[in-house]
């Protein structure tokens, strides 16, 4: 029972789902519906998402997990000879076991700043590619992938996003936004990018469920559905089609009832601020001031075992010979008491 | 509310999950566990499966859906230049939107008899391949895929299975069994192949959850784990890794508690017999006498609209110019009353 | 020196190239030209091909071999979720070691008649696909592949070709013609399909060099170049781009100088007729009456060793328990004397 | 005829082949041999290569071009979930249009120094990977790719190569060496790595023909043939099998007769030294002192047009806002007179 006694702040997918989801799953359990998302609950969920994004014509498809969604969408957007531009820290570049390359596509990694790409950097890359006399021998950049919030929990401002979107327009390639933790962006006081903005400033984005209150599920939004013909078949081909599609419908129907999705990340973000405050007070150096639910701090290697005896956290990377970057993660399910205990442990040191 | 008024016999994935699964999901909902199947519930589920299969050293991995499982396992078993032998009606050959080819592998389709391959037919194919002077220019058969029960609901006997397994041994290629509806095989009075037999007579098989009482989930059993090194990474690469892996653990832990999985298909098989009886009585021709939960019968095209106004069933294929093969499917969730109403409707005609 | 003493009729790629090609290779050997086909000789060859096909705007690309060309063109024409319709005997289905599947595409094999598909059969397949309620779970047919002459040496008439082309137009999918042995079709008295016809009745076709007088090389003709954007990059990605592209230019510039390509197959076709005559006279059963340079006949197994002691021929397949189908192949390089000796051997039996 | 008037130093694949190859092609032209490399000339060529490398049991396969060879070998060596470590400037990472990713594999690019990786850098990468708790979610490094000489013309010393090989042994992954320009390494006074060394210090390497005296062709050497079962089929699947395989046999049989391959790069390397001397004299800055046949120098942008009016050279990359790195390339076919004229042009400035 060691797991129970330790504080669990290693990730934001440690618990089940928002209680309303569990209730609805239970209530609808023996209802018979047609499969593969062709049921009424899915229709309702998709309609709620369209409304929340203010794009009434959008195609919305509900997939199961993040890696699967990225691989499927990217494969749908690219021609076989094209690659996807990503920050070097992008989930598609590092932590998807080569799912993008499995689909035949190169990830064209550019150096990110705490997970973020900048518009001029992308423009420069595209311009250099176009000017390179050998570019017919190279992988053609066919789209841009960014994440909001990024893998570091940082945020693109609306202005930054608009600038990246403008570069994509200029070079006629789609912009795709990975919103695995989107609820924590939407809940951040520092955020000025709404769901409606995403629908205008990107070509495809997904609204993360797995880390944001669902058992699993990611809702892909394609504001202009003509962009991806036969998306259903592509999803099936990628093994990403859930037979009992209504399970996804139920979850997103609940998450988008009464704006739950807009609220669900709020405590997590506040708790992350509390944790950052405690870390600062305790003299830890933060990697940067995080606006969302992930906190990165630098710790001397010698102090890690003691901390880890009480708290599950994530190893990020070596900072230098003697120090390490650790990550603490809150979620919609984090309890105030656990956060207070964590802060106590941190400041006690 | 048309859906409610109609009898739903189109498939065996129309309802949610066995109530014990829903209860356990609810009970464990706010428990925090590590992700990706590394939790204690998954460990318990896997151990139960190992025991039920009497293969204590087996690697058990829990995936989400059937197409995904097939694509992942087949890609794991084959070298890049190899193909998979399958019946022409095999799910991998027809209804997976090319997921196997997406992984680079040809499906080597042999004509099946109501979904079944025969050992001599496989041996002949392998022998012909070995004897073909041009075989270095051809796709090398690298494994055999069969399903138990088949896509038609038919069953391999233990003797038939042993014969196929012996051919695979002779030619040193693995045998993989798709058990999407395995509970309905295990529940059939005609069946003589146990879980323990599968573990001895195949190299990899999967125990279907989605159609057999779970919300979703397929348990891949690899009796000798050395057969697939780095399977976890392969699963991840295929987008088949569930972040909250315990959801799969919970479902299989319940399905394999107190032999639930061995019982869960029994009423469905009995009801299918009742439906076949009613069809015969009503003068319909059965495509064959089904031993499991899928019933195939031949109907004049002119009679279809009336039937479909009351019953959801599945179109299988044209039988001839004027007749069609339809499928009726029962499941663990079918109610006796619905079956009685269905039989009434059928015999009334 | 056993090779020399035996008559070599096993294939049509046993010799080098037409002497004018060897001469030109020699004459231009130390000339320095830019690489990858951007030289003046390639430009000339392409222009000659465009003229011969009467399609002045065509994109012409010169690749190296047949399997490579098929894999590259098919991958260029299909979206990732589409498959290619082919006769079951099609080279892409049988003898390319899975090169099409390596690119992620399923070969949708239909039963051929001595290598040929018929328009109604293709229409039926497409119609059935469109009518299948489950087709979103299936591989979408995205193009049709045929060969002229076929792998059996049979020919499509202009009428047959027009009918297939019309079906493709109706279903809005491209028609691609593999012309690996096209010179032998063009040289056949039975043929009524010209290069100009191919340019009108297909969307892409290739003019085979390897088997028709070149050392190697296949010229892909795309009458409407907008059909395949970035074809150069696709060729490179497939490893099909020759650094010293002019070697291909030289060969096709010679083959299309003074209509050489239209004549080069003539003796081969005449010799094949002679061989068929001799076979008939000797009492052999022909598989069918071949109009081009490949002759298929049925021989009792007991007589094969004696024949093979004097003549290299190809095993095609078993005909029945006691008989085999063998193939004899002539080429542009076959000598009259060798053919006479062969006929002598055959009729002596 | 502009091409003729300009000096051509843009690449080392501008001319045809060594005259002895052209002569042999011509002499053997009408000889009939079986296809796909199963002829006596290929056997002879392979035997000569085995002798030159002192590895009598090696499997030698003759492919057509570099990108094709890299894609085929890398795909043969890796399991589907593995990637290949390469310098960021590696041909496989930059100039193969994604051929490696097309086969499903990620290129794991490490920063190179003028094209070279260092053993400690590779070890660090592998060690970090092994220590990363998340590595099951990442692309497993499955082999190391280097080139000798590198894309910059730099050389690995025997000591450096042995160190890299030792790291690969330690981590049980194969080392593959791209020898597209190997003749220029072997001809360099600075080189201490022989063919025999390559056979001992790598697991697979290829001996480049295209840039080293052949019309086309790369000879893959696998000292221990058990490393790649069914290599022939893999070559076919990649569209890399030449029907008239003897054309490759002829070229390598000539290149390895009387040690021609060891000598053929010598004048090119000497001429490159002359050109470097001229550049220095003229006050140009060399990017580095090149030991082989490629010379990189820095030039003010304003001076490029004048130079390019007389000399074809290659754009490498921008050096800074006002300066560019250009490449001049000699080859086995470069003439002393052209080099003298080039040096005159350079020093005149």
């Amino acid at each position: 029972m060691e797991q129970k006694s330790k504080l669990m702040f290693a990730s934001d997918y440690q618990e089940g789902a928002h209680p309303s989801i569990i209730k609805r799953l239970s209530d609808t359990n023996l209802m018979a519906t047609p499969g593969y998302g062709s049921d009424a609950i899915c229709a309702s969920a998709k309609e709620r998402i369209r409304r929340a994004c203010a794009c009434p014509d959008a195609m919305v498809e509900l997939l199961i997990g993040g890696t699967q969604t990225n691989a499927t969408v990217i494969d749908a957007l690219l021609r076989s000879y094209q690659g996807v531009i990503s920050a070097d820290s992008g989930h598609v570049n590092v932590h998807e076991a080569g799912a993008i390359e499995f689909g035949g596509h190169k990830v064209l990694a550019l150096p990110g700043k705490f997970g973020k790409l900048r518009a001029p950097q992308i423009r420069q890359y595209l311009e250099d590619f176009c000017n390179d006399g050998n570019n017919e021998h190279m992988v053609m950049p066919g789209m841009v992938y960014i994440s909001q919030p990024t893998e570091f929990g940082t945020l693109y401002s609306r202005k930054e996003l608009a600038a990246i979107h403008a570069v994509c327009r200029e070079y006629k390639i789609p912009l795709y936004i990975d919103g695995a933790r989107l609820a924590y962006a939407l809940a951040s006081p520092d955020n000025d990018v709404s769901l409606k903005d995403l629908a205008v400033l990107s070509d495809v984005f997904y609204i993360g469920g797995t880390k944001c209150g669902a058992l699993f599920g990611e809702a892909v939004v394609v504001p202009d559905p003509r962009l991806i013909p036969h998306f259903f078949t592509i999803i099936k081909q990628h093994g990403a089609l859930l037979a009992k599609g209504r399970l996804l419908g139920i979850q997103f129907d609940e998450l988008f009832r009464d704006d739950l999705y807009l609220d669900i990340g709020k405590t997590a973000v506040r708790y992350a601020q509390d944790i950052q405050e405690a870390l600062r007070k305790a003299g830890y150096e933060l990697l940067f001031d995080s606006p969302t639910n992930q906190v990165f701090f630098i710790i001397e290697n010698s102090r890690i075992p003691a901390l880890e005896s009480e708290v599950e956290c994530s190893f990020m990377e070596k900072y230098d010979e003697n120090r390490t970057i650790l990550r603490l993660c809150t979620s919609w399910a984090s309890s105030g008491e656990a956060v207070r205990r964590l802060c106590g442990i941190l400041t006690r040191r």
Side-chain angles (χ1 to χ4, degrees), chain A:
Chain A
M1 291 299 87
E2 200 181 57
Q3 272 175 3
K4 278 194 187 145
S5 62
K6 274 174 86 168
L7 290 170
M8 301 282 282
F9 285 92
S11 81
D12 36 19
Y13 41 92
Q14 303 180 133
E15 289 90 3
H18 189 275
S20 74
I21 287 174
I22 298 295
K23 181 172 186 316
R24 182 98 174 263
L25 278 176
S26 182
D27 291 350
T28 58
N29 189 45
L30 290 179
M31 208 172 95
T33 52
Y36 305 117
S38 59
D39 60 279
I41 303 175
C42 282
S44 165
K46 291 176 182 184
E47 192 51 32
R48 283 185 177 162
I49 289 172
R50 282 189 205 97
R51 270 204 302 270
C53 300
C55 46
D57 300 325
M59 170 165 61
V60 178
E61 293 291 346
L62 308 177
L63 281 76
I64 301 162
T67 293
Q68 179 187 85
T69 300
N70 287 335
T72 305
V73 170
I74 288 171
D75 198 50
L77 289 175
L78 295 181
R79 294 301 313 238
S80 65
Y81 49 91
Q82 296 177 322
V84 52
I85 292 175
S86 161
D88 48 7
S89 58
H91 203 255
V92 295
N93 192 43
V94 185
H95 284 119
E96 302 194 347
I100 306 306
E101 290 82 5
F102 184 69
H105 304 291
K106 191 178 187 74
V107 179
L108 303 163
L110 304 185
K113 177 84 192 283
F114 296 136
K116 289 171 65 177
L117 292 178
R118 290 161 303 104
Q121 173 188 31
I122 298 172
R123 172 177 282 113
Q124 189 66 56
Y125 184 84
L126 291 166
E127 194 184 309
D128 287 352
F129 179 83
C130 290
N131 290 336
D132 191 319
N134 275 325
N135 67 14
E136 286 189 311
H137 296 252
M138 296 161 71
V139 175
M140 177 188 304
M143 64 180 287
V144 171
Y145 163 94
I146 59 174
S147 36
Q148 172 81 333
T150 68
E151 292 75 7
F152 281 89
T154 51
L155 293 170
Y156 287 93
S157 70
R158 190 164 47 196
K159 198 173 147 193
E160 290 170 331
L161 190 57
I164 290 176
H165 185 243
V167 171
C168 290
R169 276 288 161 281
E170 187 183 335
Y171 283 90
K172 297 190 171 52
I173 58 177
L175 173 61
Y176 166 53
I177 302 177
D178 176 336
R181 293 187 170 97
L182 189 56
Y184 304 108
L186 296 173
S188 170
D190 293 9
N191 177 57
D192 68 351
V193 180
S194 69
L195 283 170
K196 295 180 182 74
D197 293 330
L198 290 172
V200 173
L201 296 177
S202 77
D203 297 282
V204 186
F205 65 101
Y206 86 79
I207 300 170
T210 301
K211 293 170 176 168
C212 304
L215 292 172
F216 56 88
E218 325 294 333
V220 177
V221 181
V222 190
D224 179 350
R226 293 168 304 179
L227 187 63
I228 311 185
H230 303 292
F231 195 27
F232 184 96
T233 295
I234 298 171
I235 293 169
K236 176 73 181 177
Q237 179 194 35
H238 279 260
L241 188 65
L242 194 65
K244 302 185 180 177
R246 79 169 186 227
L247 302 176
L248 291 162
I250 285 167
Q251 299 186 78
F252 281 98
D253 205 46
E254 290 301 318
L255 288 174
F256 279 83
R257 182 209 298 272
D258 304 333
D259 288 342
L260 173 58
Y261 196 81
L262 301 183
D263 291 331
I264 201 168
K266 283 184 179 164
T267 54
V269 173
R270 202 166 58 235
Y271 291 157
Q273 293 303 321
D274 295 347
I275 294 168
Q276 291 199 126
E277 193 52 42
L279 284 164
R280 273 195 218 93
K281 203 179 297 177
Y284 286 104
E285 186 181 343
L286 298 177
L287 191 61
F288 57 89
D289 193 358
S290 169
T292 59
N293 71 317
Q294 300 184 77
V295 170
F296 297 87
F297 67 103
I298 298 158
I299 183 169
E300 278 145 59
N301 295 345
S302 57
R303 297 175 66 180
I304 295 179
L307 178 60
E308 293 207 325
S309 72
E310 297 182 88
V311 183
E312 284 263 344
C313 45
S314 299
F315 169 81
M316 197 61 193
E317 51 183 308
K318 287 195 291 189
Y319 186 74
D320 58 24
E321 216 40 48
N322 303 312
R323 291 180 296 176
T324 294
I325 304 172
L326 292 185
R327 184 186 75 166
L328 290 164
C329 220
T330 60
S331 87
W332 61 273
S334 297
S335 76
E337 197 205 307
V339 172
R340 275 189 300 276
R341 281 182 54 206
L342 171 63
C343 292
I345 290 168
L346 292 171
T347 49
R348 179 188 352 128
R349 302 177 162 265

